[in-house]
Every structure is written in C-alpha cells, then in structure tokens.
Amino acid sequence: MIRINPVKKITVAFLIFFLPALILTFQGCKKKRSEMANVLFKKTHNKVFRDVTPEGFAEVFKKVFAGEKSKLKHADFIIDYYEKNNYTPVFIMDHLFNGDLAKADDYYMHADEHGLNAEMFQADEIKGLVDRFMAKKGIKTLNEAYQDMAALEITAANSLINYTNALQYGAINPKSIFQRYFTATRRPDSASMSLVFHVGNMQNYLDSIQPKDPQYIAMQNSLKIGFMAKGKSQEETKRILMVNLERLRWRNKPFEDKYVIVNIPDYTLNVIDSGKSVLKMKVCVGQGRNMDNANTIMAYNDTCKEDKPYEHETPLLNSLIHSVDVNPVWNIPNSIANKEIIVEAAKDRFYLANKGINVYQDEKLVPNPEDIDWTKITKENLPYEFKQQPGADNSLGKIKFLFNNKSNVYLHDTPAKSAFSWKMRAVSHGCVRLGDPQALALNLFGDGEKYKTIATDMGEDNPDPTTIYLPKKVPVYITYITCWADENGGLQFRDDVYGLDIVLYDHLQRLLHPEMN
C-alpha cells in the first residue's frame, strides 16, 4: 500500500484548486498588458508595436513629460489626469487612427481665421508625429515607439486644451494685462479642461467650441477676406479685428435680459432689453492717455506696450445700479481739490461761494472760506475737504446713478452740455456724464410714483438732495470695444482713446510669436 506524504497531499490539493485560477490570472494580466500592443500593431502594421506594454509606456511618458513640463501651460492639470488614469494614452488609442487628431490639426492650421496662430497649438509638430505613426516603417525601435507615443499624447492633450481655452475663454486673461479691469470674467478651470479627455466625436466637439456670436462671425469673415476699413490700411484693419475678436472670446458678456452698457470708445450708453437697444444716448467718459490718437495699433512706442492708465480714465467694470441721488451733493475728491479747486480759489476768493462749494475742516463747516489765503494752501498742507451743494452749478447736475465699485465712479448728469456735441468726448474725471439722464431714470424706474418724484425734484430751483432706490437693481457694464458690426451688418470702427487696443495687441503678439519676446 502506497502512502502519500501529507505535505504532498496539501501541495497537490493546492495545485488542483488554485493552479487554474493562477493560469487565468496570468492570462488576464498578459491580455491586459498586450491589449495596447495588439491595437497599435493592428492599426500600424509595424512589428515594433508588438512589444509595447502599458508599464513601459508609463515610464517613458513620465520622462518625456518631465522634459516638456516647462513648455506646457497647464502642466500640473495634465499630469494629474494621467496619474489618476494609469497613464492611458487616450488620444492615441481613441483619436489617432480614426483621423481625429488629423482633423483637430486641420482646425489648428486655420487658427489665423480667429486672429490666432497655428504655432500656439503645435500644429506642425502634431502633423509630423501623426505622419510617423501612419508610415509603416516610420518608427523603427521600441524606444522610438515609446518616445513618439509619449510626445504625441502630451502634445495632443496640451494643444486641444489650449485651443479650447483660447476659443471659449480667450487667449489672454484681461485681468492680467489691464490695471483698471473690474469686470467679472470666467476663466477655464479643471472641470472645463477635463472635457478634452472625454471627447466622443472630435468633429462635433471642435464645431461646438467655435464662437457662434453673430458679431464674432461678422468680424471673423472680414478677417478671412482681408477686409480694409475706410481710411485704414489692410494691416491696420486686421490688427483691430484681431484684438476685438479676442475681446469677444472673453467670458464677460452680459447674461441678463435687461442691462445698461457704456462703450468708452464710442462715447455711448445703451439700455438693452431682450437683446435690443431700447434707449441710446451720448455720454462723456474719463480723459484718456491717447485722446489725440497719437499712438495707433500700427505705430506706437515702447511705453504704450504696458497698461499705464491716465489718472482720469474710466474703469472697465460691471455692477448693479441700486439707487439714484436726485440733486446730489458732490464730495469733491482730493485729486480734484488739489489740482483745481484750490487753484481757482487762489485766483478768486469768491470762487467757492459762487460755485456753491462748502469747505470743511475736521468735519466741521468753515464759515468764511473767502477769508482764507488760498495762495498759501498747497496739496502738501491741505487741511480742508470740499462739498458742492445741489444747484445749477453742481458738477453732478441734477441726478447721479449709483452702483458699487472700487473706483468710486457713477453715471451722472452735468451742467456742461456743450461737450455732447464733440466727436471726442473723453473729458471727465472718470465718471460717465449722461446726455439724457432723465430718460435713463424713466427707463429704469418706469412711469410711476418714484419717477414722478425724480422729475419733480429735478425741476426745483432750490432743491434738497434725495435718495431713491430702484425697485429692482439693474446691471451696468462699462466696456471698451473699438470695432463691431452694426444693425446693417457693416463694421464700425472707433479710435483707441485709452490705448487699450495697443496693449492687447502687443500682448497677443508675444503669445502668437514667442520668438519676439
């Protein structure tokens, strides 16, 4: 009788029960490791790809990425995605062999139709890498295969992210180049950028991110055909279109049904309701650095390349009009008091009384300001504050419209009406003077009791200041646009009174042509 060793019995039992599972596990791992190789070999018919493994690719990907990291705008976001997804080359596996990457590259090649540059999206580099994969003997060694796979995957991800961001949010963040830009502006985040890794149909995706705004399409078509504006060269027209296309890509547009919008270069206010202008009027805006148009987008000096606002320029912003002051008191800013009020008072000791300006020291009213020797008062030793009382000479006129903002500006009436007949109306200290403030009050308040109070108080000879709150706050946008399509489809152009076109164009050039930096 043969006796079986107990240890051997356990070993045999182990093999009987667990060997099939081990074999299946091994085969499963082998299949998983070879799936990438099988797909690549089947598509390329290049034997080199038979030996590709996910592990081998991952190691090379990390090294290639480390070398390219400094060139990638969103490097941290990109590597985070691949780390969380086992370095799966999603663009190669899902978008290379069906022509998607070639299709995307074709869109990049036409970036100039948006006023951008194909180099921004590495169009030539992607084309070269795609061609190598499609050539049967373009890749000769396993190391070349890994290197080219990593290069194409990283470049494809980076390019599609950058292209999407540029078209959907703008190539430049306006807050990074303009000092007086206070408009809420959405920028790309991880949620929006992650969409590029989950694209199904590349053609549909690329079409979906093209701007659809009729204004954008009108300017884009003009750029494509080489339109030349009257009185401007073709190159100058092109540059103006480029900067205004970029502005249209920024996510800072009104989304409300009704809003007030002021366009600084056009010196115009519009009330928009349900997409149509229901009230339009001339305005005067703050004095600018380029009021004589000495610097143009075609000819400017180095000092114009960075935003250096003139002290009285009206800021770009959005807010909510919450109330009006009828017959307002003007709290005169120190900057105006230093440069204008004390100068005029020194020339004429009755200037303050004639203009209805009260003088305060330590918050107490100075009873006889004409007795002060204003010739000895300078901005360095100015102990006074000034407030202009309501009346015909009040610089704010009969009404001002209030909204919260960091620059302490507002929309207001003015007793100086002559400037509204001028073509160049950048004449204020920063606030926006209204050509027809009572019409704006009627539009915002409606023809009810509050408006009747406003109209009555504005007509009084000896008025008292009154604050009246809007029943519903109305959005206000102060913007800067130098080219747009009018209601007839024609393009309107305005002078760059603040030189902001120049600043934006120069920053675009640095982005579009890095070799210029």
Side-chain angles (χ1 to χ4, degrees):
M1 182 175 182
I2 300 174
R3 295 183 179 271
I4 299 177
N5 188 307
V7 175
K8 288 185 177 181
K9 288 175 67 177
I10 295 173
T11 302
V12 170
F14 175 84
L15 291 174
I16 291 173
F17 287 101
F18 291 99
L19 185 58
L22 289 171
I23 292 172
L24 287 172
T25 301
F26 175 77
Q27 289 177 336
C29 293
K30 184 177 181 180
K31 182 179 180 182
K32 182 179 180 181
R33 287 198 300 272
S34 63
E35 182 179 355
M36 183 186 297
N38 289 338
V39 171
L40 293 172
F41 172 66
K42 181 179 179 180
K43 296 294 185 180
T44 64
H45 302 291
N46 186 332
K47 294 180 181 180
V48 169
F49 287 103
R50 283 177 169 175
D51 298 324
V52 166
T53 66
E55 295 81 6
F57 170 73
E59 289 305 310
V60 175
F61 182 97
K62 294 174 190 176
K63 293 176 182 177
V64 173
F65 187 89
E68 295 293 314
K69 183 176 181 180
S70 62
K71 304 175 186 177
L72 306 178
K73 190 172 183 179
H74 301 286
D76 291 341
F77 169 77
I78 292 173
I79 194 61
D80 181 67
Y81 172 82
Y82 284 101
E83 286 175 350
K84 291 178 178 176
N85 290 274
N86 300 316
Y87 299 94
T88 300
V90 60
F91 284 97
I92 291 174
M93 303 303 287
D94 295 346
H95 301 292
L96 172 59
F97 302 108
N98 62 1
D100 276 357
L101 291 187
K103 174 60 68 175
D105 200 55
D106 183 57
Y107 277 72
Y108 305 157
M109 287 291 190
H110 290 83
D112 60 334
E113 295 177 359
H114 298 276
L116 302 173
N117 189 334
E119 294 179 14
M120 297 171 60
F121 313 111
Q122 301 166 283
D124 288 338
E125 185 176 343
I126 290 175
K127 185 178 186 305
L129 286 165
V130 170
D131 288 347
R132 280 173 61 82
F133 275 87
M134 295 308 172
K136 187 173 181 180
K137 295 183 179 180
I139 298 171
K140 296 181 174 61
T141 67
L142 182 60
N143 184 57
E144 282 184 16
Y146 284 139
Q147 292 286 333
D148 286 354
M149 286 174 64
L152 180 55
E153 185 68 22
I154 293 167
T155 305
N158 182 61
S159 297
L160 190 56
I161 289 171
N162 290 342
Y163 184 75
T164 299
N165 289 349
L167 264 59
Q168 293 282 283
Y169 297 90
I172 289 175
N173 182 354
K175 292 185 177 181
S176 70
I177 66 171
F178 295 130
Q179 292 190 32
R180 293 186 179 175
Y181 183 92
F182 307 110
T183 307
T185 304
R186 284 182 58 195
R187 296 297 298 163
D189 55 21
S190 57
S192 63
M193 290 190 290
S194 66
L195 296 177
V196 304
F197 294 106
H198 304 283
V199 172
N201 184 300
M202 184 66 73
Q203 174 83 52
N204 290 344
Y205 175 76
L206 292 168
D207 287 341
S208 74
I209 64 173
Q210 307 298 305
K212 307 297 192 302
D213 182 354
Q215 285 282 329
Y216 190 95
I217 294 171
M219 280 195 275
Q220 186 183 34
N221 290 338
S222 296
L223 183 66
K224 289 179 185 179
I225 65 174
F227 174 74
M228 184 167 65
K230 184 178 180 180
K232 303 182 187 298
S233 67
Q234 189 176 53
E235 177 62 24
E236 184 177 15
T237 305
K238 173 185 174 182
R239 294 183 182 188
I240 295 171
L241 289 170
M242 285 175 61
V243 296
N244 284 284
L245 282 169
E246 172 66 5
R247 286 189 177 109
L248 284 174
R249 290 189 288 262
W250 293 339
R251 292 284 190 95
N252 61 357
K253 308 303 180 291
F255 59 88
E256 302 89 350
D257 287 336
K258 182 175 182 176
Y259 57 90
V260 175
I261 186 165
V262 174
N263 184 15
I264 291 171
D266 192 37
Y267 313 116
T268 301
L269 175 147
N270 276 273
V271 178
I272 305 297
D273 196 345
S274 301
K276 295 182 180 180
S277 175
V278 295
L279 178 65
K280 182 176 182 179
M281 70 182 68
K282 293 179 178 181
V283 299
C284 296
V285 299
Q287 300 167 37
R289 74 199 86 164
N290 196 37
M291 294 189 294
D292 56 1
N293 207 37
N295 289 291
T296 70
I297 204 167
M298 285 296 295
Y300 54 91
N301 56 50
D302 287 345
T303 63
C304 300
K305 294 180 178 180
E306 303 296 334
D307 187 32
K308 298 176 182 177
Y310 184 64
E311 63 178 328
H312 294 316
E313 288 182 8
T314 300
L316 311 184
L317 59 82
N318 73 298
S319 187
L320 293 170
I321 300 174
H322 54 74
S323 62
V324 298
D325 281 351
V326 186
N327 299 312
V329 172
W330 183 31
N331 296 309
I332 301 175
N334 286 337
S335 59
I336 298 176
N338 291 334
K339 294 183 178 180
E340 299 179 26
I341 302 302
I342 61 176
V343 173
E344 295 299 324
K347 295 177 185 177
D348 176 5
R349 67 193 187 103
F350 295 109
Y351 168 80
L352 298 171
N354 291 336
K355 291 293 183 179
I357 298 175
N358 290 346
V359 181
Y360 295 82
Q361 185 173 19
D362 298 328
E363 300 183 354
K364 294 180 180 179
L365 180 67
V366 176
N368 298 301
E370 63 271 13
D371 294 338
I372 298 171
D373 186 354
W374 292 102
T375 62
K376 296 181 180 179
I377 302 298
T378 66
K379 63 181 180 180
E380 287 78 20
N381 68 346
L382 181 63
Y384 305 112
E385 295 177 347
F386 304 85
K387 296 184 179 183
Q388 189 176 33
Q389 301 307 300
D393 291 322
N394 188 290
S395 294
L396 304 183
K398 293 287 189 175
I399 188 171
K400 69 176 181 179
F401 297 77
L402 300 173
F403 45 90
N404 297 335
N405 66 92
K406 297 178 181 179
S407 305
N408 195 30
V409 298
Y410 33 82
L411 314 178
H412 68 87
D413 183 20
T414 176
K417 306 294 186 182
S418 61
F420 291 108
S421 64
W422 302 348
K423 180 180 178 182
M424 200 288 294
R425 296 193 291 276
V427 296
S428 83
H429 291 96
C431 292
V432 177
R433 301 176 188 173
L434 303 173
D436 192 350
Q438 194 163 334
L440 181 60
L442 175 59
N443 181 277
L444 299 187
F445 282 90
D447 191 11
E449 289 301 317
K450 287 189 174 184
Y451 171 72
K452 290 176 181 177
T453 299
I454 291 171
T456 300
D457 287 358
M458 288 179 69
E460 290 184 353
D461 292 331
N462 298 302
D464 292 320
T466 305
T467 298
I468 300 176
Y469 290 89
L470 278 167
K472 181 180 180 181
K473 296 177 182 178
V474 177
V476 59
Y477 292 80
I478 301 179
T479 187
Y480 194 95
I481 303 168
T482 56
C483 177
W484 66 93
D486 61 26
E487 58 273 13
N488 298 317
L491 291 184
Q492 296 286 328
F493 292 83
R494 296 295 182 269
D495 289 340
D496 186 18
V497 66
Y498 287 0
L500 299 188
D501 275 8
I502 295 170
V503 174
L504 179 51
Y505 177 76
D506 196 77
H507 279 81
L508 272 174
Q509 290 309 294
R510 299 180 208 178
L511 185 65
L512 271 56
H513 305 286
E515 69 278 3
M516 296 174 57
N517 297 337

